[in-house]
Amino acid sequence: MFAGKRITVSAIRRKNNAIEYYEERKVNRPVLQKLKKIPFVRGTVALIEATSVGNKHLNYASDRLDVHPDDDGEIESAEKTSKMAMIFGVAAVGVFAFLFGNVLFTAIPVFIAELFSPIFPGHVAQNLLEGFFKFLILVGYIYLITFMPLIKRVFQYHGAEHKVINAYEAGKPLTVENVQEHSRLHYRCGSSFMLFTVIIGVMIYLLVPFDNIIERVVHRLLLIPVVLGVSYEVLQGTNKLRNIPVLKWLGLPGLWLQLLTTKQPKDDQVEVSIASFEKMLEREKTLEDEEKVGGPIV
């Protein structure tokens, strides 16, 4: 999946070997647009928006996984009859998963660190220990799911996306051979964002004292939007500094995590990613031209 200013596009390879596209036009919501211009707030808004759009693309792809195009009528019929239920169901599951995941990821390291409080007492030591366990949980979880064949395939496509972007930014023609020569790591990746939330969280939590474990957990949960907002700004900053000697090292921790969240893609996977990216560029150009003339081009 690739996102432009006006549209997001995914490409999938069907069982008949044809490449099919799913497009999601970005809706201009004035309130969100204003929020996305506010530093330290835009990170949370961008995350929610990306999750919403990403779920739609994933649902489209998963519904057609191992389904022959000749049988698409059954999929489309099911989607029509349960469209509203599907929308609310996906939204509810997405919100629940986001909240539940954040609560667990935030609270569990706190309780584990508290077990070591007799050995590592004090505000600073407990915060550092909490961050250490949060890091272990994050890396351990990602490492374990890489053994799942489907997740491994997703991570290969993730690597293919990065390769395409790196080749495009290097000004290279988007052929499979050229794309495969480039790195599967990229500074703007969401994997880097996850790691930054751990590092930034430790720094922010050091500024917030607590008297007991319950107060500590409550503080952590209330500070989630702050941690997300600051982490997003750091991610953007490391991307801007990536070509500056010495300062480019700031983004290395995120790149190291991508060694787990991306895998070396196969040529056919790179081909699909190139098709998706080129379709996104094509649709962006069409929509830009439509805006210039004040309506759809006939």
Side-chain angles (χ1 to χ4, degrees):
M1 183 187 84
F2 291 95
K5 292 181 179 180
R6 302 167 182 82
I7 198 168
T8 55
V9 177
S10 285
I12 60 174
R13 191 183 293 278
R14 303 304 302 273
K15 291 196 73 174
N16 62 353
N17 209 39
I19 294 178
E20 189 174 292
Y21 302 96
Y22 173 73
E23 302 176 3
E24 184 72 25
R25 181 79 179 267
K26 291 187 176 181
V27 180
N28 185 15
R29 296 183 177 87
V31 175
L32 289 182
Q33 293 304 315
K34 291 180 180 179
L35 290 175
K36 287 164 69 174
K37 294 179 181 179
I38 304 175
F40 304 109
V41 173
R42 57 189 176 188
T44 302
V45 176
L47 178 63
I48 294 173
E49 191 174 48
T51 301
S52 173
V53 174
N55 279 337
K56 294 178 183 178
H57 285 265
L58 284 173
N59 287 333
Y60 179 86
S62 61
D63 284 344
R64 286 154 181 79
L65 180 67
D66 291 332
V67 176
H68 195 279
D70 292 342
D71 300 323
D72 280 357
E74 297 179 10
I75 298 175
E76 293 170 0
S77 177
E79 287 176 346
K80 287 180 181 179
T81 56
S82 61
K83 190 170 184 180
M84 291 305 296
M86 180 183 69
I87 291 173
F88 287 112
V90 169
V93 170
V95 171
F96 177 77
F98 176 77
L99 293 176
F100 186 70
N102 271 281
V103 168
L104 287 182
F105 188 60
T106 300
I108 290 177
V110 171
F111 288 108
I112 297 177
E114 183 69 20
L115 295 176
F116 291 85
S117 57
I119 306 173
F120 300 100
H123 182 67
V124 174
Q126 277 292 294
N127 274 304
L128 294 176
L129 197 60
E130 178 186 334
F132 173 72
F133 285 123
K134 186 174 290 188
F135 172 78
L136 286 184
I137 292 173
L138 174 64
V139 174
Y141 172 76
I142 294 174
Y143 176 73
L144 288 175
I145 64 175
T146 58
F147 289 100
M148 300 170 61
L150 183 59
I151 297 299
K152 180 181 178 181
R153 186 169 177 81
V154 170
F155 285 175
Q156 285 178 310
Y157 272 110
H158 190 193
E161 290 173 344
H162 286 181
K163 282 175 172 282
V164 169
I165 290 295
N166 283 326
Y168 177 77
E169 292 180 341
K172 300 291 185 179
L174 295 181
T175 63
V176 172
E177 294 76 15
N178 285 342
V179 169
Q180 284 286 33
E181 291 176 357
H182 286 77
S183 173
R184 71 177 200 264
L185 313 180
H186 197 281
Y187 273 81
R188 288 195 303 271
C189 178
S191 303
S192 300
F193 179 76
M194 288 191 296
L195 185 58
F196 282 136
T197 61
V198 175
I199 299 172
I200 299 300
V202 170
M203 297 179 181
I204 291 176
Y205 298 155
L206 285 172
L207 304 176
V208 183
F210 56 85
D211 295 323
N212 54 67
I213 191 169
I214 300 300
E215 186 177 290
R216 181 177 177 182
V217 172
V218 171
H219 286 168
R220 300 299 187 261
L221 296 177
L222 292 176
L223 287 170
I224 286 176
V226 179
V227 173
L228 294 177
V230 176
S231 299
Y232 181 82
E233 299 303 325
V234 172
L235 178 66
Q236 297 299 312
T238 56
N239 180 60
K240 293 177 182 178
L241 300 173
R242 61 178 172 168
N243 294 319
I244 301 176
V246 181
L247 294 179
K248 67 180 182 180
W249 303 108
L250 293 173
L252 280 184
L255 294 181
W256 293 335
L257 186 62
Q258 289 177 44
L259 293 173
L260 288 178
T261 61
T262 64
K263 297 297 179 184
Q264 179 63 29
K266 300 176 182 178
D267 286 350
D268 63 328
Q269 294 171 321
V270 169
E271 183 183 5
V272 173
S273 291
I274 292 174
S276 177
F277 186 71
E278 290 182 332
K279 174 64 74 171
M280 184 274 291
L281 293 179
E282 175 191 325
R283 294 290 292 124
E284 278 289 312
K285 181 65 168 60
T286 300
L287 292 172
E288 182 182 4
D289 290 340
E290 289 179 2
E291 290 176 1
K292 289 179 180 178
V293 298
I297 296 176
V298 180

